[in-house]
Amino acid sequence: MSRRRVFLLALLLFAVLVFAGNRSWSTPDGPPLLLAHRGMAQTFGFAGITGDTCTAQRIHPPAHGYLENTIPSMRAAFAAGADVVEFDVQVTKDDEIAVFHDHLLECRTNGTGKVRDHTLAELRRLDVGFGYTADGGASFPFRGKGVGLMPTLEEVLAAFPGRELLLHIKSDDPADGGKIAARLTPAQRAKVTVYGGDASVAAYAAEAPGARVASAAIMRGCGMRYLAVGWTGAVPGACANIQLHVPESYAPFLWGWPHKFVERMRAHGTRVILVAGDGGWSEGFDSAADVKRLPGGFTGGVWTNRIEVVEPLLR
């Protein structure tokens, strides 16, 4: 047998072994973990969206009466079957930690300026439903209904003791990460996953060793290393005890996707959350058509903006 033929046979055998070692031969029996983005929130279209888009001014006709990042919306999301609820936090002028998404107040509220330039007392007086409209400003269905609904981090933690939460630090200031870590007890850190800017999350992780975290740098470091060695079945240390937000469009390129990949990461304390599309603007699996794209038997996490729609479809 020629050397060329031996080489080709060896290469074929290697490819077969890699394929067999990374193929999900069986389908798990269990439901996925459901993550409700911003609680039960008003949804909006993603077409043409940019970092400066005021999403409150382009909501769909309301299907419910809840406003994102409020305790009633989080309670409704858990009641609808969410396993994890995501919410956003920002540090205020007086070093309180307010739960609110936008850096600027003008889009959603009747206030002006940056969140961090206001005290908590000032923010409490605002109407967080003021700017929402589904018809280009002809009507504002939530105006007057959001006064006093902006909670603090401590209030969210007190409202949902023992529940799984995903906390999004909306800044990349290391000081903010340290302040947030100081507000969480060890028991709360075990239930609260923290993600956000690289610097703020790194500072949080330094103050809360062992807590599950995620940031672009953390997920990129895990992903690149896993692509290099994952074909062997190995999981690099960079992938241990973190949360991975995996864009739907990239997922098929991961060794062992879907079931072996999820199992490998879970064995190393890492939670896999599948997000829709390329992951650019918090797209979720929000409709029956979206749910059909999920891998059969998927037991990782599913990011959704419509927990009340997808939970009945998946459970």
Side-chain angles (χ1 to χ4, degrees):
M1 185 180 293
S2 68
R3 290 182 178 180
R4 174 181 172 81
R5 182 166 295 180
V6 170
F7 173 77
L8 290 175
L9 286 174
L11 186 62
L12 177 61
L13 178 60
F14 173 76
V16 169
L17 291 174
V18 169
F19 172 79
N22 286 282
R23 189 178 187 280
S24 298
W25 293 99
S26 61
T27 300
D29 182 19
L33 177 143
L34 298 180
L35 189 153
H37 181 222
R38 306 188 201 173
M40 192 177 290
Q42 299 303 315
T43 59
F44 50 85
F46 290 99
I49 195 171
T50 72
D52 296 324
T53 301
C54 176
T55 57
Q57 294 177 357
R58 57 185 294 169
I59 62 169
H60 298 133
H64 56 73
Y66 296 103
L67 295 169
E68 66 176 55
N69 279 309
T70 64
I71 287 177
S73 82
M74 298 178 200
R75 186 172 290 116
F78 279 125
D83 299 295
V84 184
V85 167
E86 188 264 8
F87 65 102
D88 307 295
V89 300
Q90 301 188 58
V91 177
T92 68
K93 183 178 180 179
D94 51 349
D95 275 342
E96 297 292 339
I97 301 173
V99 178
F100 191 71
H101 178 271
D102 304 344
H103 295 291
L104 298 175
L105 294 165
E106 285 86 347
C107 172
R108 295 178 202 283
T109 82
N110 53 334
T112 59
K114 297 179 180 178
V115 171
R116 67 185 312 120
D117 290 339
H118 292 73
T119 66
L120 179 62
E122 292 168 341
L123 295 170
R124 293 277 209 196
R125 292 193 287 269
L126 298 178
D127 178 3
V128 298
F130 187 85
Y132 285 82
T133 179
D135 51 19
S139 64
F140 294 88
F142 299 104
R143 187 163 288 185
K145 299 178 181 179
V147 179
L149 288 187
M150 189 186 301
T152 64
L153 169 61
E154 288 84 356
E155 288 169 340
V156 170
L157 295 173
F160 305 106
R163 298 305 300 258
E164 293 276 355
L165 297 165
L166 175 60
L167 184 158
H168 187 185
I169 305 176
K170 295 299 292 184
S171 81
D172 199 21
D173 186 340
D176 290 355
K179 290 173 184 176
I180 290 165
R183 304 294 178 95
L184 272 63
T185 68
Q188 289 168 338
R189 292 173 184 173
K191 289 291 185 178
V192 178
T193 300
V194 171
Y195 81 121
D198 295 337
S200 58
V201 170
Y204 172 85
E207 297 294 327
R212 184 184 288 120
V213 293
S215 70
I218 289 169
M219 291 187 282
R220 185 168 54 247
C222 165
M224 296 300 292
R225 289 170 175 80
Y226 183 77
L227 286 174
V229 305
W231 61 273
T232 67
V235 175
C239 294
N241 197 42
I242 63 173
Q243 182 156 297
L244 281 176
H245 296 173
V246 178
E248 176 187 14
S249 57
Y250 305 151
F253 300 101
L254 297 169
W255 297 109
W257 181 261
H259 307 312
K260 278 205 170 181
F261 178 79
V262 171
E263 291 166 3
R264 288 169 181 171
M265 293 299 159
R266 185 177 289 139
H268 286 77
T270 288
R271 177 177 287 163
V272 176
I273 305 292
L274 185 63
V275 298
D278 63 5
W281 297 108
S282 298
E283 296 98 325
F285 292 85
D286 301 334
S287 68
D290 294 336
V291 167
K292 288 180 180 178
R293 300 199 311 271
L294 291 171
F298 186 68
T299 60
V302 175
W303 184 283
T304 182
N305 299 294
R306 295 294 304 274
I307 182 64
E308 74 282 9
V309 171
V310 304
E311 193 278 344
L313 298 172
L314 290 172
R315 298 280 172 80

CSV table of all heavy atoms in Angstrom, one decimal, residues 223-272:
chain,number,residue,atom,x,y,z
A,223,GLY,N,-14.7,30.5,23.8
A,223,GLY,CA,-15.0,30.0,22.5
A,223,GLY,C,-13.8,29.7,21.6
A,223,GLY,O,-13.7,28.6,21.0
A,224,MET,N,-12.8,30.6,21.7
A,224,MET,CA,-11.6,30.3,20.8
A,224,MET,C,-10.8,29.1,21.3
A,224,MET,O,-10.4,28.3,20.5
A,224,MET,CB,-10.7,31.6,20.9
A,224,MET,CG,-11.4,32.8,20.3
A,224,MET,SD,-11.8,32.6,18.5
A,224,MET,CE,-10.2,32.5,17.8
A,225,ARG,N,-10.7,29.0,22.6
A,225,ARG,CA,-10.0,27.8,23.2
A,225,ARG,C,-10.7,26.5,22.9
A,225,ARG,O,-10.1,25.5,22.6
A,225,ARG,CB,-9.7,28.0,24.6
A,225,ARG,CG,-8.7,29.1,24.9
A,225,ARG,CD,-8.6,29.4,26.4
A,225,ARG,NE,-7.5,30.4,26.7
A,225,ARG,CZ,-7.6,31.7,26.5
A,225,ARG,NH1,-8.7,32.2,26.0
A,225,ARG,NH2,-6.6,32.5,26.8
A,226,TYR,N,-12.1,26.6,23.0
A,226,TYR,CA,-12.9,25.4,22.8
A,226,TYR,C,-12.8,24.9,21.3
A,226,TYR,O,-12.7,23.7,21.0
A,226,TYR,CB,-14.3,25.6,23.2
A,226,TYR,CG,-15.1,24.3,23.1
A,226,TYR,CD1,-15.0,23.3,24.0
A,226,TYR,CD2,-16.0,24.1,22.0
A,226,TYR,CE1,-15.7,22.1,23.9
A,226,TYR,CE2,-16.7,23.0,21.9
A,226,TYR,CZ,-16.6,22.0,22.8
A,226,TYR,OH,-17.3,20.8,22.6
A,227,LEU,N,-12.8,25.9,20.4
A,227,LEU,CA,-12.7,25.6,19.0
A,227,LEU,C,-11.4,24.9,18.7
A,227,LEU,O,-11.3,24.0,17.8
A,227,LEU,CB,-12.8,26.8,18.1
A,227,LEU,CG,-14.3,27.4,18.0
A,227,LEU,CD1,-14.2,28.7,17.3
A,227,LEU,CD2,-15.2,26.4,17.3
A,228,ALA,N,-10.3,25.2,19.5
A,228,ALA,CA,-9.0,24.6,19.2
A,228,ALA,C,-8.9,23.2,19.8
A,228,ALA,O,-8.3,22.3,19.2
A,228,ALA,CB,-8.0,25.5,19.9
A,229,VAL,N,-9.6,22.9,20.9
A,229,VAL,CA,-9.4,21.6,21.6
A,229,VAL,C,-10.6,20.8,21.7
A,229,VAL,O,-10.6,19.6,22.1
A,229,VAL,CB,-8.7,21.8,22.9
A,229,VAL,CG1,-7.4,22.6,22.8
A,229,VAL,CG2,-9.6,22.5,23.9
A,230,GLY,N,-11.8,21.4,21.5
A,230,GLY,CA,-13.0,20.7,21.8
A,230,GLY,C,-13.3,19.4,21.0
A,230,GLY,O,-14.0,18.6,21.4
A,231,TRP,N,-12.6,19.3,19.8
A,231,TRP,CA,-12.7,18.1,19.0
A,231,TRP,C,-12.3,16.9,19.8
A,231,TRP,O,-12.7,15.7,19.5
A,231,TRP,CB,-12.0,18.2,17.7
A,231,TRP,CG,-10.5,18.4,17.9
A,231,TRP,CD1,-9.8,19.6,18.0
A,231,TRP,CD2,-9.5,17.4,17.9
A,231,TRP,NE1,-8.5,19.4,18.1
A,231,TRP,CE2,-8.2,18.0,18.1
A,231,TRP,CE3,-9.5,16.0,17.8
A,231,TRP,CZ2,-7.0,17.3,18.1
A,231,TRP,CZ3,-8.3,15.3,17.8
A,231,TRP,CH2,-7.1,16.0,18.0
A,232,THR,N,-11.4,17.0,20.8
A,232,THR,CA,-10.9,15.9,21.6
A,232,THR,C,-11.9,15.6,22.7
A,232,THR,O,-11.7,14.6,23.4
A,232,THR,CB,-9.6,16.3,22.2
A,232,THR,OG1,-9.8,17.3,23.2
A,232,THR,CG2,-8.6,16.7,21.2
A,233,GLY,N,-12.9,16.4,22.9
A,233,GLY,CA,-13.8,16.2,24.1
A,233,GLY,C,-13.4,17.0,25.3
A,233,GLY,O,-14.1,17.1,26.3
A,234,ALA,N,-12.2,17.7,25.2
A,234,ALA,CA,-11.7,18.5,26.3
A,234,ALA,C,-12.4,19.8,26.4
A,234,ALA,O,-12.8,20.4,25.4
A,234,ALA,CB,-10.2,18.7,26.2
A,235,VAL,N,-12.6,20.3,27.6
A,235,VAL,CA,-13.2,21.6,27.9
A,235,VAL,C,-12.1,22.5,28.6
A,235,VAL,O,-11.6,22.1,29.7
A,235,VAL,CB,-14.4,21.5,28.8
A,235,VAL,CG1,-14.9,22.9,29.1
A,235,VAL,CG2,-15.5,20.7,28.1
A,236,PRO,N,-11.6,23.5,27.9
A,236,PRO,CA,-10.6,24.3,28.5
A,236,PRO,C,-11.0,25.0,29.8
A,236,PRO,O,-12.2,25.3,30.0
A,236,PRO,CB,-10.2,25.4,27.4
A,236,PRO,CG,-11.5,25.4,26.6
A,236,PRO,CD,-12.1,24.0,26.6
A,237,GLY,N,-10.0,25.4,30.6
A,237,GLY,CA,-10.3,26.0,31.9
A,237,GLY,C,-11.1,27.3,31.7
A,237,GLY,O,-11.8,27.8,32.6
A,238,ALA,N,-10.9,28.0,30.6
A,238,ALA,CA,-11.5,29.3,30.3
A,238,ALA,C,-13.0,29.1,30.2
A,238,ALA,O,-13.8,30.1,30.3
A,238,ALA,CB,-11.0,29.9,29.1
A,239,CYS,N,-13.5,27.9,30.0
A,239,CYS,CA,-14.9,27.6,29.9
A,239,CYS,C,-15.6,27.2,31.2
A,239,CYS,O,-16.8,26.8,31.2
A,239,CYS,CB,-15.2,26.6,28.8
A,239,CYS,SG,-14.7,27.1,27.1
A,240,ALA,N,-14.9,27.1,32.3
A,240,ALA,CA,-15.4,26.6,33.5
A,240,ALA,C,-16.2,27.7,34.3
A,240,ALA,O,-15.7,28.8,34.5
A,240,ALA,CB,-14.3,26.0,34.4
A,241,ASN,N,-17.3,27.3,34.8
A,241,ASN,CA,-18.1,28.2,35.8
A,241,ASN,C,-18.4,29.5,35.2
A,241,ASN,O,-18.2,30.6,35.9
A,241,ASN,CB,-17.4,28.3,37.1
A,241,ASN,CG,-18.4,28.8,38.2
A,241,ASN,OD1,-19.5,28.3,38.3
A,241,ASN,ND2,-17.9,29.7,39.0
A,242,ILE,N,-18.9,29.6,34.0
A,242,ILE,CA,-19.3,30.9,33.4
A,242,ILE,C,-20.6,30.7,32.7
A,242,ILE,O,-21.2,29.6,32.8
A,242,ILE,CB,-18.3,31.4,32.3
A,242,ILE,CG1,-18.2,30.4,31.1
A,242,ILE,CG2,-16.9,31.6,32.9
A,242,ILE,CD1,-17.3,30.9,30.0
A,243,GLN,N,-21.2,31.7,32.1
A,243,GLN,CA,-22.4,31.6,31.3
A,243,GLN,C,-22.0,31.9,29.9
A,243,GLN,O,-21.4,33.0,29.6
A,243,GLN,CB,-23.5,32.5,31.8
A,243,GLN,CG,-24.8,32.4,31.0
A,243,GLN,CD,-26.0,32.8,31.8
A,243,GLN,OE1,-26.3,32.2,32.8
A,243,GLN,NE2,-26.7,33.8,31.4
A,244,LEU,N,-22.4,31.1,28.9
A,244,LEU,CA,-22.1,31.3,27.5
A,244,LEU,C,-23.4,31.6,26.8
A,244,LEU,O,-24.4,30.9,26.8
A,244,LEU,CB,-21.6,30.0,26.9
A,244,LEU,CG,-20.1,29.7,27.1
A,244,LEU,CD1,-19.7,28.3,26.5
A,244,LEU,CD2,-19.2,30.8,26.5
A,245,HIS,N,-23.5,32.8,26.2
A,245,HIS,CA,-24.6,33.2,25.3
A,245,HIS,C,-24.2,32.8,23.9
A,245,HIS,O,-23.3,33.5,23.3
A,245,HIS,CB,-24.9,34.7,25.5
A,245,HIS,CG,-25.3,35.1,26.8
A,245,HIS,ND1,-25.5,36.4,27.2
A,245,HIS,CD2,-25.6,34.3,27.9
A,245,HIS,CE1,-25.9,36.4,28.5
A,245,HIS,NE2,-26.0,35.2,28.9
A,246,VAL,N,-24.8,31.8,23.4
A,246,VAL,CA,-24.4,31.3,22.1
A,246,VAL,C,-25.4,31.7,21.0
A,246,VAL,O,-26.5,31.4,21.0
A,246,VAL,CB,-24.3,29.7,22.1
A,246,VAL,CG1,-24.0,29.2,20.8
A,246,VAL,CG2,-23.4,29.2,23.2
A,247,PRO,N,-24.9,32.5,20.0
A,247,PRO,CA,-25.8,33.0,19.0
A,247,PRO,C,-26.2,31.8,18.1
A,247,PRO,O,-25.4,30.9,17.8
A,247,PRO,CB,-25.0,34.0,18.2
A,247,PRO,CG,-23.9,34.4,19.1
A,247,PRO,CD,-23.6,33.2,20.0
A,248,GLU,N,-27.4,31.7,17.7
A,248,GLU,CA,-28.0,30.6,16.9
A,248,GLU,C,-27.2,30.4,15.6
A,248,GLU,O,-27.0,29.3,15.2
A,248,GLU,CB,-29.4,31.0,16.6
A,248,GLU,CG,-30.2,30.0,15.7
A,248,GLU,CD,-31.5,30.6,15.3
A,248,GLU,OE1,-31.8,31.8,15.5
A,248,GLU,OE2,-32.3,29.8,14.8
A,249,SER,N,-26.7,31.5,15.0
A,249,SER,CA,-26.0,31.4,13.7
A,249,SER,C,-24.6,30.8,13.9
A,249,SER,O,-24.1,30.3,12.9
A,249,SER,CB,-25.9,32.8,13.1
A,249,SER,OG,-25.3,33.7,13.9
A,250,TYR,N,-24.0,30.9,15.1
A,250,TYR,CA,-22.7,30.3,15.3
A,250,TYR,C,-22.7,28.9,15.9
A,250,TYR,O,-21.7,28.2,15.8
A,250,TYR,CB,-21.9,31.2,16.2
A,250,TYR,CG,-21.8,32.7,15.8
A,250,TYR,CD1,-21.6,33.7,16.7
A,250,TYR,CD2,-21.8,33.0,14.4
A,250,TYR,CE1,-21.5,35.0,16.3
A,250,TYR,CE2,-21.7,34.3,14.0
A,250,TYR,CZ,-21.6,35.3,15.0
A,250,TYR,OH,-21.5,36.6,14.6
A,251,ALA,N,-23.8,28.6,16.6
A,251,ALA,CA,-23.9,27.3,17.3
A,251,ALA,C,-23.5,26.1,16.6
A,251,ALA,O,-22.7,25.2,17.1
A,251,ALA,CB,-25.3,27.2,17.9
A,252,PRO,N,-23.9,25.9,15.3
A,252,PRO,CA,-23.5,24.6,14.6
A,252,PRO,C,-22.0,24.4,14.4
A,252,PRO,O,-21.6,23.3,14.2
A,252,PRO,CB,-24.2,24.8,13.2
A,252,PRO,CG,-25.3,25.8,13.5
A,252,PRO,CD,-24.8,26.7,14.5
A,253,PHE,N,-21.2,25.4,14.6
A,253,PHE,CA,-19.8,25.3,14.4
A,253,PHE,C,-19.1,24.8,15.7
A,253,PHE,O,-17.8,24.6,15.7
A,253,PHE,CB,-19.1,26.6,14.0
A,253,PHE,CG,-19.7,27.1,12.7
A,253,PHE,CD1,-20.7,28.1,12.6
A,253,PHE,CD2,-19.3,26.5,11.5
A,253,PHE,CE1,-21.2,28.5,11.4
A,253,PHE,CE2,-19.9,26.9,10.3
A,253,PHE,CZ,-20.8,27.9,10.2
A,254,LEU,N,-19.8,24.7,16.8
A,254,LEU,CA,-19.2,24.2,18.1
A,254,LEU,C,-19.1,22.7,18.1
A,254,LEU,O,-20.1,22.0,17.8
A,254,LEU,CB,-20.1,24.8,19.2
A,254,LEU,CG,-20.2,26.3,19.4
A,254,LEU,CD1,-21.2,26.7,20.4
A,254,LEU,CD2,-18.8,26.9,19.8
A,255,TRP,N,-18.0,22.2,18.6
A,255,TRP,CA,-17.8,20.8,18.7
A,255,TRP,C,-18.8,20.2,19.6
A,255,TRP,O,-19.0,20.6,20.7
A,255,TRP,CB,-16.4,20.5,19.2
A,255,TRP,CG,-15.3,20.9,18.4
A,255,TRP,CD1,-14.4,21.9,18.6
A,255,TRP,CD2,-14.8,20.3,17.1
A,255,TRP,NE1,-13.5,22.0,17.6
A,255,TRP,CE2,-13.7,21.1,16.7
A,255,TRP,CE3,-15.3,19.3,16.3
A,255,TRP,CZ2,-13.1,20.8,15.5
A,255,TRP,CZ3,-14.7,19.0,15.1
A,255,TRP,CH2,-13.6,19.7,14.7
A,256,GLY,N,-19.5,19.2,19.1
A,256,GLY,CA,-20.5,18.5,19.9
A,256,GLY,C,-21.9,19.1,20.0
A,256,GLY,O,-22.7,18.7,20.8
A,257,TRP,N,-22.1,20.2,19.2
A,257,TRP,CA,-23.4,20.9,19.2
A,257,TRP,C,-24.5,19.9,18.7
A,257,TRP,O,-24.3,19.2,17.7
A,257,TRP,CB,-23.3,22.1,18.4
A,257,TRP,CG,-24.6,22.9,18.5
A,257,TRP,CD1,-25.6,22.9,17.5
A,257,TRP,CD2,-25.1,23.7,19.5
A,257,TRP,NE1,-26.7,23.7,17.9
A,257,TRP,CE2,-26.4,24.2,19.1
A,257,TRP,CE3,-24.5,24.1,20.7
A,257,TRP,CZ2,-27.1,25.0,20.0
A,257,TRP,CZ3,-25.3,25.0,21.5
A,257,TRP,CH2,-26.5,25.4,21.1
A,258,PRO,N,-25.7,19.9,19.4
A,258,PRO,CA,-26.0,20.7,20.5
A,258,PRO,C,-25.8,19.9,21.9
A,258,PRO,O,-25.4,20.5,22.9
A,258,PRO,CB,-27.5,21.0,20.3
A,258,PRO,CG,-28.0,19.7,19.6
A,258,PRO,CD,-26.9,19.3,18.7
A,259,HIS,N,-26.2,18.6,21.9
A,259,HIS,CA,-26.3,18.0,23.2
A,259,HIS,C,-25.0,17.7,23.9
A,259,HIS,O,-24.9,18.0,25.1
A,259,HIS,CB,-27.1,16.7,23.0
A,259,HIS,CG,-28.4,16.9,22.3
A,259,HIS,ND1,-29.3,17.9,22.7
A,259,HIS,CD2,-29.0,16.3,21.3
A,259,HIS,CE1,-30.4,17.9,21.9
A,259,HIS,NE2,-30.2,16.9,21.0
A,260,LYS,N,-24.0,17.2,23.2
A,260,LYS,CA,-22.7,17.0,23.8
A,260,LYS,C,-22.1,18.3,24.3
A,260,LYS,O,-21.4,18.3,25.4
A,260,LYS,CB,-21.8,16.2,22.9
A,260,LYS,CG,-22.0,14.7,22.8
A,260,LYS,CD,-20.8,14.0,22.4
A,260,LYS,CE,-21.0,12.5,22.7
A,260,LYS,NZ,-19.9,11.7,22.3
A,261,PHE,N,-22.2,19.3,23.5
A,261,PHE,CA,-21.7,20.6,23.9
A,261,PHE,C,-22.3,21.1,25.2
A,261,PHE,O,-21.6,21.5,26.2
A,261,PHE,CB,-21.9,21.7,22.8
A,261,PHE,CG,-21.4,23.0,23.2
A,261,PHE,CD1,-20.0,23.3,23.1
A,261,PHE,CD2,-22.3,24.0,23.6
A,261,PHE,CE1,-19.6,24.6,23.4
A,261,PHE,CE2,-21.8,25.3,24.0
A,261,PHE,CZ,-20.5,25.6,23.9
A,262,VAL,N,-23.6,21.0,25.3
A,262,VAL,CA,-24.3,21.5,26.5
A,262,VAL,C,-23.9,20.6,27.7
A,262,VAL,O,-23.6,21.1,28.8
A,262,VAL,CB,-25.8,21.4,26.3
A,262,VAL,CG1,-26.6,21.6,27.6
A,262,VAL,CG2,-26.3,22.5,25.3
A,263,GLU,N,-23.8,19.3,27.5
A,263,GLU,CA,-23.4,18.4,28.6
A,263,GLU,C,-22.0,18.6,29.0
A,263,GLU,O,-21.7,18.6,30.3
A,263,GLU,CB,-23.5,16.9,28.1
A,263,GLU,CG,-25.0,16.5,27.8
A,263,GLU,CD,-25.1,15.2,27.1
A,263,GLU,OE1,-24.0,14.6,26.8
A,263,GLU,OE2,-26.2,14.7,26.7
A,264,ARG,N,-21.1,18.9,28.1
A,264,ARG,CA,-19.7,19.1,28.5
A,264,ARG,C,-19.6,20.4,29.3
A,264,ARG,O,-18.9,20.5,30.3
A,264,ARG,CB,-18.8,19.3,27.2
A,264,ARG,CG,-18.6,18.0,26.5
A,264,ARG,CD,-17.9,18.2,25.2
A,264,ARG,NE,-17.7,17.0,24.5
A,264,ARG,CZ,-17.3,16.9,23.2
A,264,ARG,NH1,-17.1,18.0,22.5
A,264,ARG,NH2,-17.1,15.7,22.6
A,265,MET,N,-20.3,21.5,28.9
A,265,MET,CA,-20.2,22.7,29.6
A,265,MET,C,-20.9,22.6,31.0
A,265,MET,O,-20.4,23.1,32.0
A,265,MET,CB,-20.9,23.8,28.8
A,265,MET,CG,-20.2,24.2,27.5
A,265,MET,SD,-18.5,24.8,27.9
A,265,MET,CE,-17.7,24.5,26.3
A,266,ARG,N,-22.0,21.9,31.0
A,266,ARG,CA,-22.7,21.7,32.3
A,266,ARG,C,-21.8,21.0,33.3
A,266,ARG,O,-21.8,21.3,34.5
A,266,ARG,CB,-24.0,21.0,32.1
A,266,ARG,CG,-24.9,20.8,33.3
A,266,ARG,CD,-26.2,20.1,33.0
A,266,ARG,NE,-27.0,21.0,32.2
A,266,ARG,CZ,-27.8,20.6,31.1
A,266,ARG,NH1,-27.7,19.3,30.7
A,266,ARG,NH2,-28.5,21.4,30.5
A,267,ALA,N,-21.1,20.0,32.8
A,267,ALA,CA,-20.2,19.2,33.7
A,267,ALA,C,-19.1,20.1,34.3
A,267,ALA,O,-18.5,19.7,35.3
A,267,ALA,CB,-19.5,18.1,32.9
A,268,HIS,N,-18.8,21.2,33.7
A,268,HIS,CA,-17.8,22.2,34.2
A,268,HIS,C,-18.4,23.4,34.8
A,268,HIS,O,-17.8,24.5,34.9
A,268,HIS,CB,-16.8,22.6,33.0
A,268,HIS,CG,-15.9,21.5,32.7
A,268,HIS,ND1,-16.3,20.4,31.9
A,268,HIS,CD2,-14.6,21.2,33.0
A,268,HIS,CE1,-15.3,19.6,31.7
A,268,HIS,NE2,-14.2,20.1,32.4
A,269,GLY,N,-19.7,23.3,35.2
A,269,GLY,CA,-20.3,24.4,35.9
A,269,GLY,C,-20.8,25.6,35.0
A,269,GLY,O,-21.1,26.6,35.6
A,270,THR,N,-20.8,25.3,33.7
A,270,THR,CA,-21.1,26.4,32.8
A,270,THR,C,-22.5,26.3,32.2
A,270,THR,O,-22.9,25.2,31.8
A,270,THR,CB,-20.1,26.5,31.7
A,270,THR,OG1,-18.9,27.0,32.2
A,270,THR,CG2,-20.5,27.4,30.5
A,271,ARG,N,-23.2,27.4,32.2
A,271,ARG,CA,-24.6,27.4,31.6
A,271,ARG,C,-24.6,27.9,30.2
A,271,ARG,O,-24.0,29.0,29.9
A,271,ARG,CB,-25.5,28.2,32.5
A,271,ARG,CG,-26.9,28.4,32.0
A,271,ARG,CD,-27.7,29.2,33.0
A,271,ARG,NE,-28.0,28.4,34.2
A,271,ARG,CZ,-28.4,29.0,35.3
A,271,ARG,NH1,-28.5,30.3,35.4
A,271,ARG,NH2,-28.7,28.2,36.4
A,272,VAL,N,-25.2,27.2,29.3
A,272,VAL,CA,-25.3,27.6,27.9
A,272,VAL,C,-26.7,28.2,27.6
A,272,VAL,O,-27.7,27.6,27.9
A,272,VAL,CB,-25.1,26.4,27.0
A,272,VAL,CG1,-25.3,26.8,25.5
A,272,VAL,CG2,-23.7,25.8,27.2
